[in-house]
Amino acid sequence: MIILITGASHTGKTSLSQKLLEKYKYPYLSIDHLKMGLIRSGQTELTPLSPDKDLTEYLWPIVREMVKTAIENNQNLIVEGCYIPFDWADDFDKEYLDKIKYYCLVFSENYIKKYFDNIQKHACIIEKRLDDQYSLEDAIKDNAQVLKLAKKYNVNYILIDDKYDINVEL
């Protein structure tokens, strides 16, 4: 089984992946780690500040083929990060799709306004963020865009509106 976890920044993708790792013993791949490895090793001229569109175009083909390889080898894997395109399913035949679960995490505007201090407080719970300048306005804008795209592409999304309580059963 392959679990794809994506969503807006700061929605808890890495934290959810870590919980699933602990519960199901599935390894997970952080696309951010892959990104930084490729950048630091000089394999790309992209930077951490490159547009998400450019990073997605570069990283997704690599991640997609890793997912296919894991499925072909009957391996379980959680892949998390914001560089999974909303039309991801177009890249897989049915035999692969049957073995992939996809979750997109999105905060409602109400949740952001009510709990923004908690969002910022938990930003480094699993990994350290350097120079995290994520503002309330950024959070509202990013999550609104992710929700709009999730609806447009009819993907499975989890809207976090009242309390942060995500349970994903495999």
Side-chain angles (χ1 to χ4, degrees), residues 7-169:
S9 183
H10 292 72
T11 53
K13 298 176 294 291
T14 306
S15 182
L16 176 58
S17 297
Q18 182 69 34
K19 287 177 186 174
L20 293 173
L21 163 77
E22 292 167 6
K23 183 175 183 178
Y24 295 104
K25 309 299 184 228
Y26 288 12
Y28 78 84
L29 166 70
S30 166
I31 301 175
D32 278 338
H33 291 171
L34 175 63
K35 171 186 77 176
M36 292 309 299
L38 292 164
I39 290 169
R40 287 179 168 181
S41 67
Q43 299 300 307
T44 179
E45 293 188 18
L46 294 169
T47 74
L49 300 177
S50 294
D52 283 355
K53 178 184 174 289
D54 295 345
L55 288 163
T56 300
E57 287 175 3
Y58 180 72
L59 295 166
W60 177 244
I62 298 165
V63 172
R64 177 192 67 219
E65 297 309 315
M66 292 171 74
V67 166
K68 288 178 182 177
T69 301
I71 291 171
E72 291 160 358
N73 287 303
N74 275 334
Q75 295 170 313
N76 299 314
L77 181 64
I78 301 163
V79 178
E80 67 87 12
C82 61
Y83 306 111
I84 300 171
F86 287 92
D87 63 350
W88 68 272
D90 294 347
D91 291 335
F92 297 95
D93 294 331
K94 183 174 177 1
E95 66 190 72
Y96 293 105
L97 289 172
D98 289 343
K99 296 180 178 161
I100 301 173
K101 290 190 178 193
Y102 172 96
Y103 300 95
C104 180
L105 306 181
V106 187
F107 290 143
S108 71
E109 184 172 339
N110 175 59
Y111 183 89
I112 296 166
K113 287 178 177 176
K114 190 172 181 181
Y115 297 109
F116 189 68
D117 287 344
N118 278 349
I119 293 169
Q120 286 185 309
K121 184 167 57 171
H122 289 93
C124 294
I125 200 162
I126 300 294
E127 59 189 5
K128 293 187 183 341
R129 296 175 184 266
L130 301 177
D131 195 28
D132 190 20
Q133 300 295 318
Y134 201 60
S135 70
L136 176 72
E137 294 77 22
D138 290 335
I140 291 170
K141 184 180 100 193
D142 291 350
N143 281 272
Q145 179 67 13
V146 167
L147 182 58
K148 178 181 175 183
L149 290 168
K151 289 178 177 180
K152 175 182 176 182
Y153 287 94
N154 196 30
V155 297
N156 181 34
Y157 65 90
I158 299 170
L159 183 63
I160 303 152
D161 185 45
D162 183 37
K163 62 181 180 171
Y164 197 98
D165 184 25
I166 298 174
N167 281 322
V168 173
E169 297 296 324

